[in-house]
Structures are given as C-alpha cells and as structure tokens.
Amino acid sequence: MLGELINPYYLQVSSFILINIILAVSIYITLGTGQLSLGHAGFMSIGAYTTAILTLNYNMPLVLGVIIAAIVTGIVGTLIGIPALRLQGVYLAIATLGFGEVVRVLFINWDGLTNGAIGLSGIPHLGREIFNLSKSMGIEPDMFGLKNNQFISLAVFFVLLIITISVIWFFVRQNNSRIGRAFSAIKMDEEASEAMGINITYYKVLAFGQGAMLAGFAGALYAHLMAYISPSDFDYHRAVEILIFSIFGGSEVIWGSIFGAVFLSAMPEFLRFINEYRFMIYGALLVLMMAFRPQGIIDVNMMNRFKRLMPKKRGEKKHGTGNKEDQ
C-alpha cells in the first residue's frame, strides 16, 4: 500500500528543494549584515569537492567527509570575509563572484585531483549508505512494502528533512540572540552600531564564515545526493540562483528565503508540461516581482501581522518580542 503512494522522482525533487533551502539560509545569513555576496556557488563547490575527494581517495566515512567539508569551507569563507570587509554593495558582489569563478577554474585545471572538466563520479551515494546501514540493522524495504529505490529515496528525503529543520531551528534561535540582534543593527546602520559598542569586524566576518560553511555543507550533501559533480555545476548561474532565492522570497526574514527556495525550485517542475516556455514564465515572474514588490514576497511587516494573529502566550507583552524580525 505504501509503495503505491511513493514516487521516487518526486522524492528526489523534494530532496533537491531541501538542499536549496539550506543554500537560501546561507545567503540570508550573509545578507543579514548587509553584505551582498555572489560567492556561494564557489563555497558550495569547495564543500562538494572536499567531501568527494575525501570519500573517494581516502575512504573516509560519508558523515565525517561532510563535516570536514563544512569546516574547511567555513575557514575559507572566514579568510575571504576579512579582506571583503573593505568592500560594500556591488563591489563586494563582483569580488565574491570573481572568487567563485577562480575556484571553478581551479577545479577545471587541477586534473590530477579533480579530474578537470569531466568531474568526479562514483561518489558514495547518501541513499546507498543509508540503505546499507539499514540492512546491517535488519531493516529491509519489504518490511514497509517498498522497493529498493523507493526505500532509498524516502530515507534520503527524511534525513535531509531532519537536517534542514535543524539548520532552520538553529538560525531562528540565533536571530533571537545577541548575535542576531547585532547582525540586524549592522545591516541597518554600521556607524550607529559601532558607536553602541558592537564589534562590526567580528560580526561581519562571523556572518560571512557562517554563510560559507552552510553553503559548503549544502554542497557536500549535493555531492552525495548526485554521486557525481563537475565544475559546471557551480558556475555563476548557480551563484545568481542562490541569491534570487533570498531576494525573491524576502531577505529581511529567514522565512522569506525559505519560501523563495521552495517556490522557485518547485515552480519549474509544476510548469514542466509546457516544456521550454516554463523558463520564460520563470523569468517574467522574477521581472514582475522586482517591479512591484522589490522587498520580496515575505517582509517584516507581513511577519508582524502574522504574529499579531497568533495567540499570545501568557505573560507575553503585546508590543513585540525583541526578535530580529521586529526590529
């Protein structure tokens, strides 16, 4: 019965949407301090190639490879974020886009390690690893009335769903903390924030490093979901796409970035029946969005109205919660 309800293709699409949500959150963190970065495709590629090389060439366990890939990307992001403090706005965007292209060209030309433009194949698949682990624990797809491919797709989706929910939970909590309030203050007015004693250098580098680490983490998951990566997967189109997730949904609140990732990732699939015209509709929608609602679908005012509709907890003040979204 369960096997009749599960379509591996839709589960795979949903898994890619979850990875895009993580990428959208990564760019939201960087934008949270007013830093316009187009280097997240480069950070994503570093994470993907790091875990691929570690698991292929050094037989490192998948989980450990993903963790190390995220840490390495976070360190690189921090090192890039320090000189990037001298740049703002479009200059920072151009510099980080250039960084992403430098990384991509490096992977193309480093044939001995990355296999050049051909890319790396045979990367341990996340689903296969889960399947082998479940078999060692005595859990078989037949127990649930599923075929092997259905079981693998479902298992991958639930693992990515748990990871994505954990990432969102962590950064929602961070938004409500001293760090989140510092991010918000820096975005609104750097000079006033510095006058109030906020260490602007520390928090901007922290945001850049966190965004890079999360993008590298998403790239590592992408590598193990696809089992194949190449430099063309991380070109400047990918960098712009990640930024659009947050800009379209609304970069002022984390839920806007999440909505943008879900909507823009799912829309081409819903429009697949009109073939090549679906991308025309995709582009037209983005143009209309920028013309009539440049702040994005979800903004602070919308979130405040939503919060007023929610039932108040006992003892909670009605004039606000002090969250980043309220500021």
Side-chain angles (χ1 to χ4, degrees):
M1 181 63 181
L2 184 59
E4 297 176 358
L5 300 175
I6 293 179
N7 187 320
Y9 173 76
Y10 292 128
L11 285 173
Q12 186 178 37
V13 171
S14 299
S15 297
F16 283 121
I17 291 175
L18 292 174
I19 290 178
N20 284 340
I21 289 174
I22 297 175
L23 288 169
V25 174
S26 75
I27 192 69
Y28 162 79
I29 298 165
T30 308
L31 291 172
T33 53
Q35 300 179 93
L36 179 59
S37 171
L38 285 174
H40 282 243
F43 296 132
M44 184 183 178
S45 67
I46 293 173
Y49 271 94
T50 300
T51 189
I53 291 168
L54 290 176
T55 53
L56 279 174
N57 298 347
Y58 300 98
N59 296 318
M60 185 169 290
L62 186 151
V63 174
L64 187 58
V66 170
I67 294 173
I68 292 176
I71 294 173
V72 168
T73 313
I75 294 173
V76 172
T78 301
L79 295 176
I80 296 297
I82 294 174
L85 289 173
R86 299 177 178 270
L87 303 173
Q88 291 182 348
V90 67
Y91 302 104
L92 177 60
I94 293 172
T96 50
L97 180 62
F99 160 77
E101 286 299 294
V102 168
V103 172
R104 187 177 68 86
V105 172
L106 177 64
F107 287 145
I108 291 175
N109 290 284
W110 202 346
D111 292 329
L113 186 64
T114 65
N115 207 22
I118 298 174
L120 295 174
S121 59
I123 302 170
H125 191 273
L126 178 60
R128 287 293 174 184
E129 295 291 323
I130 297 173
F131 181 73
N132 293 335
L133 178 62
S134 65
K135 287 191 70 175
S136 66
M137 297 172 61
I139 302 174
E140 297 286 345
D142 296 338
M143 300 168 59
F144 307 97
L146 300 173
K147 298 178 181 179
N148 286 353
N149 64 331
Q150 291 177 319
F151 179 81
I152 290 172
S153 299
L154 186 63
V156 168
F157 172 74
F158 274 115
V159 168
L160 291 178
L161 180 63
I162 292 171
I163 292 172
T164 304
I165 291 174
S166 300
V167 167
I168 294 171
W169 175 83
F170 175 84
F171 285 103
V172 167
R173 291 291 300 270
Q174 178 174 281
N175 281 350
N176 298 331
S177 69
R178 178 173 56 86
I179 295 175
R181 290 190 289 271
F183 285 175
S184 180
I186 293 171
K187 182 178 181 179
M188 288 188 291
D189 193 322
E190 284 191 22
E191 294 182 358
S193 300
E194 189 172 19
M196 293 177 64
I198 296 176
N199 189 336
I200 295 178
T201 300
Y202 169 77
Y203 284 110
K204 292 184 76 170
V205 172
L206 176 63
F208 210 94
Q210 282 187 338
M213 182 176 67
L214 198 55
F217 179 64
L221 294 176
Y222 175 83
H224 290 295
L225 182 61
M226 292 293 294
Y228 167 79
I229 55 172
S230 70
S232 61
D233 294 329
F234 311 105
D235 59 11
Y236 68 92
H237 293 99
R238 186 63 167 160
V240 174
E241 181 185 43
I242 296 171
L243 179 63
I244 288 175
F245 288 154
S246 187
I247 299 300
F248 179 87
S251 61
E252 295 180 351
V253 292
I254 190 171
W255 303 109
S257 299
I258 294 169
F259 173 82
V262 173
F263 184 85
L264 294 178
S265 300
M267 191 181 68
E269 295 300 323
F270 287 120
L271 298 177
R272 186 173 289 276
F273 67 94
I274 56 176
N275 296 325
E276 67 273 11
Y277 296 105
R278 60 195 173 116
F279 292 105
M280 293 176 60
I281 296 176
Y282 185 96
L285 181 61
L286 292 177
V287 171
L288 291 172
M289 185 67 199
M290 292 300 99
F292 296 103
R293 196 170 174 83
Q295 73 270 31
I297 297 291
I298 302 175
D299 59 4
V300 174
N301 293 332
M302 182 179 293
M303 289 302 300
N304 288 338
R305 287 194 296 268
F306 176 77
K307 289 176 181 178
R308 284 195 291 267
L309 294 175
M310 296 295 290
K312 298 291 183 180
K313 295 180 181 180
R314 181 174 298 177
E316 183 179 347
K317 296 181 180 180
K318 294 185 178 181
H319 57 74
T321 60
N323 294 349
K324 181 179 178 180
E325 290 83 359
D326 292 330
Q327 296 179 3

